[in-house]
Amino acid sequence: MTKETQYTEDNIRSLDWKEHIRMRPGMYIGKLGDGSSPDDGIYILVKEVLDNSIDEFVMGGGKTIEVSVQGNKVIVRDYGRGIPLGKVVDVVSKMNTGGKYDSKAFKKSVGLNGVGTKAVNALSTYFRVESTRDGKSASAEFEKGNLTNQEVLEETSRRRGTKVSFIADESIFKNYKYRPEYIVKLLKNYVYLNPGLTIIFNGEKFYSEEGLKDLLKDNNNVEDMLYPIIHLRGDDIEIAITHSKTQYSEEYHSFVNGQNTTQGGTHLAAFREAVVKTVREFYGKNFDASDVRKSIIGAISIKVMEPVFESQTKTKLGSTEMGDGLPTVRTYINDFVKNNLDNYLHKNTTVAEQLQKKILQAEKERKELSGIRKLARERAKKANLHNKKLRDCRIHFADTKKEGYLDTTLFITEGDSASGSITKSRNVNTQAVFSLKGKPLNSYGLSKKIVYENEEFNLLQAALNIEDGMEGLRYNNIVIATDADVDGMHIRLLLITFFLQFFPEVIKEGHLYILETPLFRVRNKKETIYCYSEEEKQQAIHKLRGKPEITRFKGLGEISPNEFVHFIGDDIRLDPVMLDKQMSIEQMLAFYMGKNTPDRQKFIINNLKVELDMVNE
């Protein structure tokens, strides 16, 4: 007979604020990660501190914010009003404490729940906050949320404002490092949305005069735009719209109270609906919504009273009301777009003609593809997609209310042995595996028709659920897992070409990665070390001493499932695929995948020489 477990007062335990945050960090900052993804928690920590400085700027306190990231130490300094000196400790260490509960002071603030800086404090091995106002200064230092030092200066010549410094805890964010590209994107979004604000990051200055218009220009090749960016501003709303000449899918950037809502929400849904409705009424034709929005590049920013987000990381707006006596979010956006976009099209007849021609071309292509698309969907079903080609996971990106959706990953593998090892060692809740058969087709210069006619592309598109745009993307992370040999590199390049050609927003929005797997295993009877470079191998040999056993992995297929679990679990190493801002997608594809072999050979030889020179130095 099983002995009954005792349940008494001794079993009841209350966690204090910092213990709860450290035990359940995902509830406060989303996924942890090592910094390879823009969704990783270390960037949320930076954002939480920055949000407070942005709110100070919005309230008229200071026009400059200085951000420094040196190694793992982050420093954010603003020149706002400064935290009231007697509350410096409470504001960063007591839950439900903060100035944003006073809606008069922070009418349309980003953070309303008073949790942000407390989470940063609790998840940092070093955290320091310093406030200066009225010629006086107060500071406090913490370790993992515990107060370690506190000072008050009666007199100081420092400029007013708040300075926060922190080092994220490596025991929680394992092997992490900040990628400047992600921080720059975060800071640029802040200046686009806050005219007059200057942010200085490690000495580089960011400033924007034309808001969302600058955002679209910075993120896209102006020469690829069908017509000049339509830029419209209202009291609590700003939009920017254009269409791409070559891009197939829709691309959107959406914001609420300065927060980048990467998963959209009620405001983005209303914006997409309003554009279609206005265009239909302007031309007097009931165009298909997909034809109107095909190749669209748009951005929307709204300000609402006390916004309700669907998670602590504020990536999706759930609010339906604007507040402050205004109509619903949907009605407000519909009315603004209808009046202003309609007026713009009437005044700019050349743009109206270009847009109409684009829509009619999209309609023609859609009808030509309709039969092929239907056959392609049937083929995908017959191929038993969700069993044979795709070993699916239980949580999907589209299901944002499920804990862990940010970790959802699709591994694209080559060959049965590699896919088998990953399938056996994966986390079945969040990790799926798609098995490639042979090398993909070089899709450079081909039309969208090939995606439906080519079996591999058709099945991959169906697995990702991106045929009709990014709204249905089933996995937050798409990871190319190929061997580190010539064939593996070639498959990587062909897959990247596929995404750049037909679904560039997958890369633009930071969803595509390369899986890093170890090249060597160094072990003795007591310890095993996996090494990702020759340098790491030499360090491992030195650490284990003697004559350890050294194995060189030739391909993913020869790594056993028992070992693979180390490389796709908590210690996974991902290398994000990023676009070179100096080159358009068309230029990039033409250079690397076109018929200019001599130019590529010259490029390889020159860069190989540079690499050898660096090694010799």
Side-chain angles (χ1 to χ4, degrees):
M1 186 175 178
T2 305
K3 185 179 179 182
E4 186 178 89
T5 303
Q6 295 298 309
Y7 180 53
T8 67
E9 286 88 344
D10 294 334
N11 297 108
I12 307 299
R13 182 183 170 217
S14 296
L15 297 176
D16 74 1
W17 67 276
K18 54 186 176 293
E19 286 180 309
H20 191 271
I21 293 173
R22 290 181 64 80
M23 186 175 287
R24 299 280 187 271
M27 289 178 61
Y28 299 90
I29 59 162
K31 70 173 186 174
L32 302 180
D34 63 357
S36 58
S37 166
D39 299 316
D40 286 345
I42 58 170
Y43 303 112
I44 304 299
L45 299 183
V46 176
K47 187 189 75 64
E48 291 290 1
V49 175
L50 271 165
D51 282 347
N52 293 329
S53 296
I54 295 297
D55 286 332
E56 280 298 303
F57 166 78
V58 171
M59 295 305 299
K63 294 183 178 181
T64 302
I65 300 172
E66 296 167 355
V67 181
S68 168
V69 177
Q70 301 298 332
N72 288 347
K73 187 174 185 179
V74 177
I75 302 172
V76 178
R77 167 69 155 107
D78 68 45
Y79 296 91
R81 295 163 296 178
I83 302 167
L85 301 186
K87 295 291 184 180
V88 167
V89 173
D90 290 356
V91 163
V92 298
S93 64
K94 285 190 178 180
M95 297 302 269
N96 305 317
T97 301
K100 297 171 193 175
Y101 291 102
D102 178 359
S103 60
K104 294 177 184 175
F106 291 93
K107 188 178 179 183
K108 289 164 183 171
S109 168
V110 174
L112 289 169
N113 49 24
V115 172
T117 50
K118 283 85 167 174
V120 182
N121 188 357
L123 299 174
S124 298
T125 48
Y126 171 82
F127 181 93
R128 187 176 194 275
V129 57
E130 178 185 313
S131 176
T132 304
R133 57 189 288 164
D134 305 323
K136 298 178 182 179
S137 179
S139 65
E141 293 183 4
F142 299 81
E143 181 180 345
K144 299 178 183 178
N146 296 301
L147 183 65
T148 57
N149 190 37
Q150 192 174 0
E151 290 182 13
V152 176
L153 293 177
E154 289 300 321
E155 290 186 28
T156 180
S157 58
R158 297 189 193 114
R159 287 177 62 186
R160 73 174 192 175
T162 303
K163 180 179 179 181
V164 173
S165 311
F166 69 90
I167 299 173
D169 189 345
E170 283 201 35
S171 69
I172 293 174
F173 307 95
K174 296 177 181 177
N175 302 313
Y176 76 89
K177 68 175 181 179
Y178 291 98
R179 293 184 181 263
E181 299 93 337
Y182 292 148
I183 295 177
V184 166
K185 183 178 180 181
L186 175 69
L187 301 182
K188 279 187 172 182
N189 283 341
Y190 280 122
V191 298
Y192 295 140
L193 299 166
N194 295 280
L197 172 66
T198 297
I199 298 183
I200 301 171
F201 172 55
N202 287 353
E204 186 177 0
K205 187 180 291 187
F206 298 104
Y207 180 86
S208 170
E209 290 186 355
E210 295 191 283
L212 296 185
K213 184 177 180 180
D214 286 338
L215 185 155
L216 293 196
K217 280 161 60 175
D218 285 354
N219 282 274
N220 297 275
N221 179 18
V222 176
E223 293 178 3
D224 186 49
M225 294 179 183
L226 182 67
Y227 52 84
I229 296 167
I230 301 171
H231 187 212
L232 306 169
R233 282 174 164 151
D235 290 337
D236 287 312
I237 186 170
E238 178 184 359
I239 65 172
I241 305 169
T242 187
H243 276 74
S244 165
K245 294 176 185 174
T246 58
Q247 189 169 304
Y248 287 95
S249 304
E250 304 171 38
E251 178 184 326
Y252 298 101
H253 307 265
S254 66
F255 304 86
V256 174
N257 294 9
Q259 166 62 39
N260 186 6
T261 44
T262 52
Q263 290 183 287
T266 52
H267 60 315
L268 181 56
F271 177 50
R272 295 174 74 235
E273 175 190 305
V275 169
V276 172
K277 189 176 180 183
T278 302
V279 167
R280 283 172 173 167
E281 290 180 3
F282 177 80
Y283 294 107
K285 291 188 177 181
N286 190 30
F287 291 125
D288 190 275
S290 65
D291 297 332
V292 175
R293 295 196 297 247
K294 182 184 177 184
S295 309
I296 193 172
I297 302 171
I300 180 169
S301 172
I302 64 169
K303 292 181 180 177
V304 305
M305 282 283 287
E306 301 184 354
V308 176
F309 295 99
E310 292 194 3
S311 69
Q312 165 61 20
T313 50
K314 310 181 186 83
T315 53
K316 187 173 185 179
L317 180 69
S319 300
T320 56
E321 303 296 324
M322 291 290 292
D324 216 12
L326 294 171
T328 65
V329 168
R330 184 184 178 198
T331 301
Y332 184 80
I333 293 173
N334 261 287
D335 289 348
F336 176 82
V337 174
K338 183 181 184 303
N339 293 330
N340 292 274
L341 181 57
D342 184 79
N343 287 341
Y344 182 93
L345 293 173
H346 273 103
K347 291 177 183 177
N348 296 270
T349 53
T350 302
V351 172
E353 288 170 5
Q354 289 172 315
L355 179 56
Q356 185 179 34
K357 193 180 290 185
K358 178 75 173 177
I359 295 169
L360 292 173
Q361 180 63 29
E363 183 179 65
K364 180 184 175 185
E365 291 174 0
R366 177 176 56 81
K367 288 178 179 178
E368 287 175 351
L369 281 174
S370 61
I372 298 173
R373 288 174 68 169
K374 186 177 179 182
L375 286 172
R377 290 191 187 112
E378 289 174 359
R379 282 205 313 271
K381 289 179 183 177
K382 286 180 181 178
N384 203 6
L385 175 67
H386 296 285
N387 182 23
K388 205 170 183 180
K389 293 291 290 183
L390 175 71
R391 278 89 169 181
D392 211 350
C393 59
R394 293 171 183 162
I395 298 173
H396 297 120
F397 181 79
D399 197 348
T400 57
K401 292 183 180 178
K402 277 193 177 181
E403 186 177 348
Y405 74 91
L406 281 173
D407 292 311
T408 53
T409 300
L410 178 70
F411 292 102
I412 304 175
T413 67
E414 54 169 319
D416 293 335
S417 55
S419 65
S421 290
I422 294 180
T423 299
K424 290 174 184 174
S425 55
R426 67 181 172 138
N427 178 335
V428 294
N429 284 322
T430 58
Q431 295 177 330
V433 183
F434 182 91
S435 180
L436 284 173
K437 184 180 179 182
K439 284 187 180 179
L441 183 71
N442 180 358
S443 57
Y444 170 61
L446 301 179
S447 71
K448 188 71 176 283
K449 185 179 178 183
I450 198 68
V451 179
Y452 299 100
E453 293 180 335
N454 180 275
E455 184 179 13
E456 292 296 299
F457 288 162
N458 178 38
L459 295 178
L460 180 56
Q461 173 185 250
L464 293 170
N465 194 36
I466 52 177
E467 178 184 358
D468 297 317
M470 296 292 287
E471 294 287 306
L473 180 65
R474 300 176 78 239
Y475 311 95
N476 190 38
N477 310 302
I478 304 165
V479 179
I480 300 173
T482 60
D483 292 341
D485 57 14
V486 174
D487 284 341
M489 298 292 181
H490 192 200
I491 290 172
R492 288 184 194 178
L493 189 58
L494 292 168
L495 284 170
I496 292 170
T497 301
F498 164 75
F499 285 111
L500 284 174
Q501 182 76 22
F502 303 115
F503 306 102
E505 55 279 14
V506 165
I507 297 176
K508 285 183 177 182
E509 295 178 17
H511 294 291
L512 189 63
Y513 301 87
I514 304 296
L515 176 68
E516 292 186 36
T517 50
L519 296 174
F520 306 98
R521 179 181 61 210
V522 181
R523 66 182 177 185
N524 58 21
K525 292 181 179 180
K526 295 182 179 179
E527 188 176 357
T528 299
I529 301 174
Y530 295 99
C531 310
Y532 291 76
S533 65
E534 181 67 32
E535 183 183 359
E536 287 187 17
K537 185 184 84 170
Q538 294 302 326
Q539 291 172 350
I541 292 171
H542 178 73
K543 180 182 178 182
L544 298 183
R545 298 179 182 178
K547 291 185 177 181
E549 175 193 321
I550 302 172
T551 302
R552 169 70 161 93
F553 293 118
K554 295 177 183 176
L556 303 185
E558 55 181 43
I559 302 176
S560 70
N562 290 338
E563 288 183 296
F564 231 119
V565 72
H566 299 295
F567 319 135
I568 61 172
D570 292 339
D571 296 326
I572 190 171
R573 293 196 194 185
L574 297 176
D575 190 13
V577 177
M578 297 181 178
L579 291 175
D580 182 354
K581 296 296 182 185
Q582 305 304 314
M583 195 182 286
S584 72
I585 291 175
E586 178 58 31
Q587 290 172 325
M588 197 181 307
L589 288 173
F591 181 81
Y592 290 106
M593 304 304 292
K595 296 179 179 180
N596 55 325
T597 306
D599 292 337
R600 283 200 299 274
Q601 286 177 338
K602 187 177 178 182
F603 173 81
I604 292 168
I605 291 168
N606 289 341
N607 281 273
L608 182 61
K609 184 178 183 300
V610 171
E611 289 288 331
L612 289 172
D613 288 343
M614 290 173 66
V615 171
N616 291 332
E617 287 177 7

